[in-house]
């Protein structure tokens, strides 16, 4: 029952999530990237280059077992999750930029995720019989990530009113299915999760915090406006853990490989929420300081 839930349920849940993402996208979301190249390039460099390097350093520092090390690197290589849009909305980020980043990132991940995963497998050698992610598996990643998004975008183009009406039900359905599937997977692999959660809790919390901080601080240092920096922060900090879990369990057939993403997937919601309040508090205090300085100049 548990294995059927994960082998069938997880890809279905991810497919619905990615289809839902497609329903909210238009070709204009990709074109918008050209209008905000600075924020997009900075965010993508942080996501695709800086974070895998940071994650690699953390994995070496924590001396994780090879399978868990590859699982962490696969998580780092995953694109931003659709939940980033919700957090951006809550904490006054640029949601349009979030949507564009998620769209572009999901396309790029079809190439970068297998490349980073292959590097990790070659470095840590967790599987004796496997050299890496072969082309057939890269095609599986392509099918898992892009086909449902493309289908959603086509539905939006041909039936815009239907897509608008289905947007909320699809989101609700994806959350319910995902919750049921994850609950089933946790129940059937409870002991494996318990045995590894202590080893993974600290590194996943640190990785999430660093991801969020990098996504906010680096764009701000490079003079990106605050709403765009907030969007970058959540896009970079909230990885698509579901995608990493699906690839680990369906493409590689390894529950253990999916553990870092599973632990991260639970903890990131709380960390991202706390981080959102932290940067909102900093923004409020900086606004107060600017007002005081303006008053001082006037007086």
């Amino acid at each position: 029952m548990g294995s059927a839930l994960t082998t069938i349920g997880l890809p279905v849940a991810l497919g619905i999530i990615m289809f839902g993402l497609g329903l909210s996208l238009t070709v204009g979301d990709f074109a918008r990237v050209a209008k905000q190249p600075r924020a997009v390039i900075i965010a993508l460099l942080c996501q695709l280059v800086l974070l895998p390097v940071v994650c690699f350093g953390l994995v070496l520092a924590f001396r994780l077992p090879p399978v868990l090390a590859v699982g962490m690197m696969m998580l780092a290589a995953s694109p931003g999750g659709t939940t980033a849009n919700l957090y951006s909305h809550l904490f006054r980020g640029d949601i349009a930029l979030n949507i564009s980043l998620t769209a572009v990132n999901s396309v790029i991940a079809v190439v970068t995720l297998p490349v980073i995963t292959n590097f990790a497998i070659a470095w840590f050698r967790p599987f004796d019989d496997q050299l890496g992610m072969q082309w057939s598996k890269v095609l599986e990643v392509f099918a898992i990530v892009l086909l449902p998004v493309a289908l959603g975008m086509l539905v939006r183009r041909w039936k815009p009113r239907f897509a608008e009406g289905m947007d909320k039900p699809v989101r609700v359905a994806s959350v319910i299915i995902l919750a049921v599937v994850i609950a089933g997977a946790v129940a059937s692999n409870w002991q494996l999760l318990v045995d590894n959660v202590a080893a993974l809790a600290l590194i996943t919390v640190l990785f999430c915090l660093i991801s969020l901080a990098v996504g906010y601080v680096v764009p701000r240092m490079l003079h990106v406006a605050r709403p765009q920096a907030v969007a970058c922060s959540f896009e970079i900090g909230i990885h698509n853990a579901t995608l990493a879990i699906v690839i680990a369990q369906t493409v590689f057939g390894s529950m253990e490989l999916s553990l870092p993403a599973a632990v991260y997937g639970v903890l990131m919601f709380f960390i991202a929420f706390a981080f959102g309040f932290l940067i909102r508090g900093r923004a409020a205090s900086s606004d107060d300081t600017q007002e005081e300085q303006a008053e001082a100049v006037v007086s």
Side-chain angles (χ1 to χ4, degrees):
M1 176 67 179
S3 62
L5 264 175
T6 51
T7 53
I8 299 166
L10 263 177
V12 168
L14 182 69
I16 293 170
I17 290 168
M18 299 310 274
F19 176 71
L21 171 63
L23 286 178
S24 68
L25 289 178
T26 63
V27 176
D29 293 318
F30 291 90
R32 197 188 298 118
V33 170
K35 296 174 188 172
Q36 291 182 311
R38 186 186 182 81
V40 171
I41 290 166
I42 291 167
L44 289 176
L45 284 174
C46 288
Q47 178 101 13
L48 301 171
V49 180
L50 194 53
L51 280 195
V53 171
V54 166
C55 186
F56 186 63
L58 284 173
V59 164
L60 293 178
F62 277 78
R63 296 181 180 177
L64 285 188
V67 176
L68 297 182
V70 173
M72 276 300 298
M73 292 300 291
M74 192 184 287
L75 173 67
S78 298
T82 50
T83 326
N85 301 347
L86 173 63
Y87 278 90
S88 222
H89 174 68
L90 283 173
F91 296 103
R92 297 175 189 165
D94 184 337
I95 301 166
L97 176 61
N98 267 111
I99 292 168
S100 300
L101 281 171
T102 303
V104 173
N105 225 332
S106 297
V107 174
I108 296 174
V110 174
V111 177
T112 56
L113 202 151
V115 166
I116 291 169
T117 304
N118 274 342
F119 163 77
I121 289 170
W123 185 279
F124 295 107
R125 302 219 169 260
F127 314 117
D128 295 331
D129 60 336
Q130 215 163 325
L131 294 172
M133 194 183 274
Q134 285 85 32
W135 270 108
S136 59
K137 293 183 177 180
V138 174
L139 289 174
E140 277 185 64
V141 174
F142 175 83
I144 288 167
V145 177
L146 286 191
L147 289 185
V149 174
L151 186 62
M153 287 181 71
L154 286 173
V155 170
R156 163 111 185 218
R157 186 174 176 83
W158 290 333
K159 303 274 186 183
R161 289 183 69 183
F162 172 77
E164 230 169 87
M166 285 300 291
D167 186 40
K168 196 171 181 180
V170 165
R171 285 185 198 216
V172 172
S174 66
V175 169
I176 292 168
I177 294 168
L178 190 56
V180 170
V181 170
I182 288 174
V186 167
S188 60
N189 297 279
W190 180 250
Q191 197 53 51
L192 186 63
L193 194 61
V194 167
D195 292 343
N196 289 280
V197 75
L200 289 168
L202 185 56
I203 190 171
T204 48
V205 167
L206 266 178
F207 179 63
C208 187
L209 275 172
I210 292 169
S211 300
L212 288 161
V214 162
Y216 183 74
V217 173
V218 172
R220 291 298 280 149
M221 283 171 62
L222 296 171
H223 309 296
V224 169
R226 188 183 172 277
Q228 280 81 46
V230 171
C232 293
S233 175
F234 289 120
E235 190 65 35
I236 292 163
I238 299 175
H239 293 267
N240 193 337
T242 315
L243 175 62
I245 292 168
V246 170
I247 291 170
Q249 294 190 18
T250 60
V251 177
F252 284 100
S254 170
M255 173 64 194
E256 197 179 351
L257 191 64
S258 71
L259 287 174
V263 174
Y264 172 92
V266 173
L267 296 175
M268 73 175 182
F269 293 109
F270 306 104
I271 299 162
F273 206 63
F275 187 84
F277 278 108
L278 177 72
I279 56 176
R280 194 162 79 172
R282 281 181 62 86
S285 64
S286 70
D287 288 345
D288 290 344
T289 306
Q290 284 171 1
E291 278 180 27
E292 284 169 16
Q293 286 172 346
E295 283 171 14
V297 169
V298 169
S299 59

